[in-house]
Amino acid sequence: MPPRRASLPAARCVASHAGDRVDGMVNKRERAIAELYAEDPQRADRLVFGRTSGATRRGFVTGLAAMSAAVGAPIPFARQMPRGLMPLALAQDAEPDPLPSGQRRLSFPGKDGGLVLLRDYPLVAETPEHLLDDDTTPTAKFFVRNNGAIPDAVADADAWKLTIDGEVNRPLEIALGELKRRGRAKTLRMVLECAGNGRAFFAPRTAGEQFTNGGAGCAEWTGIALVDLLRTAGLKSSAVYTAHYGADLGRPGDATAVALSRGVPIKKAMDPASMLVWAMNGAPLESIHGAPLRLVIPGWPGSVSHKWLNRITVRDREYDGPDMVGLAYRVPIKPMVPGGKADAGNFKILEAMPMRAIVTSPANGTRYPAGTRELRLRGAAWAGEVEVQRVDISLDFGATWQRTLLARARNRYDWRRWSGSAHVPADGYYELWVRASDATGRMQPHIAGGWNPQGYGANPMHRIAVFIG
Ligand SMILES: Nc1nc2c(c(=O)[nH]1)N[C@H]1C(S)=C(S)[C@@H](COP(=O)(O)O)O[C@H]1N2
Ligand SMILES: [Mo]
């Protein structure tokens, strides 16, 4: 029997299901536990797990019963559960921020109806982890992050003009059609990820779109290396940094302002994987993804991968546009107090994105038939500039870890698909945790570290809840 997906997480859901089966009182109590965990985890732990740290057996069992009732299933590995850990099935914070009208799905031509809408205007939508289960993310499932209005589609893509100016010997304006004819086109599969991916995991909550893990995707990008065109224009020795401009307009309070403009050091622009792209997954770029021409600069915040690209200015110093200065796309040099006041002098530009692994199958909240003893698990892992070397999974709240099988990356900046299977000793509630490590042994943290007011770079390990029986 194929596994059935329950509507989870939503503690509310689980609690009220459990309540339906018992009575209104239990329902109330379960809600109370979930709320208590949200408000005061330590007190909730005392109530659920017992009074003292060396809880009496009776207290522990009573606590377990309460916890099990709250998640709606026995918890076989409850003894491994760290104190203070809120079971995912009760967690509110692991979900995209509910909009006032509740969580909504994206409705957009060509897009999968399962994408989660984070904002109507500018349009922002993320991909739930279980929709990232394809080796190559289909365009229909690819996340969307706009900062302004989507420009009108152009009728003649090949007539689109790109200007290269600034610190070059031969400033040029080239039509896309000519770029396609003259350049050496190539296709690379690479991850594109928003700097704000994982933002929803920061506590306290930060400003910005509340992405969980789905502000990322891995597509096949076709175009030419940016460096080819920079060489044609002839970089001067004074070339230090790029500035990217596109056709989209609109900022909060100013509909006519350039929506976004960022850049990268010349060294990154000259990475052979930094591309001028006109096709995605074998088809011409969709308008929403920057047609007819965009940059894809892999491994770095998605904001440097400019869409609707019409100009690159080469500069003799670091770019100082409004999206480059202050706290924009910057992270603290020395850790700051979460929620504290930011000292602008303590910030540097966010360059390589952090490492991340996700579970793409099963989906969070999957219910398997009673008696299931083997789970087949799949996912993906990637990192900005370093290589993911291993991915480990745990079904017992991190007490033991098991290495997964990693597929090879097709090329640099591709993600690595992982797969594995795990034995489950009994029916009940489990959490599957996954974490990636790089060649130096660095691995993902349990909780989002490096808090910053704009919420960039959160990469805590991914957890999902599964039920057997
Ligand atoms: N012109 C333009 N390019 C842009 C943006 C934008 O708002 N305007 N958003 C950037 C950001 S913040 C991200 S994360 C990626 C998202 O690319 P996607 O919408 O194709 O997924 O595009 C980048 N390129
Ligand atoms: Mo982004």
Side-chain angles (χ1 to χ4, degrees), residues 29 33 36-37 41-67 78 81 83-84:
R29 182 166 172 223
I33 290 171
L36 195 57
Y37 261 100
Q42 277 173 4
R43 180 148 173 266
D45 249 19
R46 270 201 309 278
L47 289 173
V48 172
F49 284 113
R51 185 158 287 283
T52 60
S53 54
T56 61
R57 187 167 171 78
R58 191 159 168 264
F60 184 71
V61 171
T62 311
L64 252 188
M67 179 78 89
M81 218 161 156
R83 273 162 193 279

Side-chain angles (χ1 to χ4, degrees), residues 157-175:
D158 284 352
W160 182 267
K161 297 260 179 27
L162 172 66
T163 298
I164 308 278
D165 58 10
E167 304 299 307
V168 291
N169 294 316
R170 294 172 295 277
L172 55 85
E173 187 191 69
I174 186 166

Side-chain angles (χ1 to χ4, degrees), residues 19-31:
D20 290 349
R21 285 203 303 274
V22 198
D23 61 40
M25 289 295 289
V26 174
N27 193 348
K28 254 202 201 110
R29 182 166 172 223
E30 287 157 3
R31 278 170 194 277

Side-chain angles (χ1 to χ4, degrees), residues 111 122-125 142-149 151 192-197 211 215-217 221 244-250 258-262 280 285-290 293-296 300-309 329:
K111 283 293 181 187
L123 188 64
V124 184
F142 208 90
F143 83 102
V144 176
R145 201 313 183 211
N146 293 331
N147 288 270
L192 181 71
E193 180 173 28
C194 185
N197 203 20
F211 287 105
W221 307 101
H244 314 151
Y245 303 92
D248 55 331
L249 300 175
V258 169
L260 178 81
S261 178
R262 301 205 64 231
M280 178 179 183
L285 269 183
E286 299 279 342
S287 177
I288 199 174
H289 291 297
L293 184 67
R294 78 173 300 167
L295 282 169
V296 172
W300 285 35
S303 53
V304 298
S305 291
H306 217 87
K307 305 195 276 191
W308 311 293
L309 180 77
Y329 299 99

Side-chain angles (χ1 to χ4, degrees), residues 93 130 216 282 290 341 354 358 379 384:
D93 66 340
H130 70 272
K341 209 171 160 324
I358 56 171

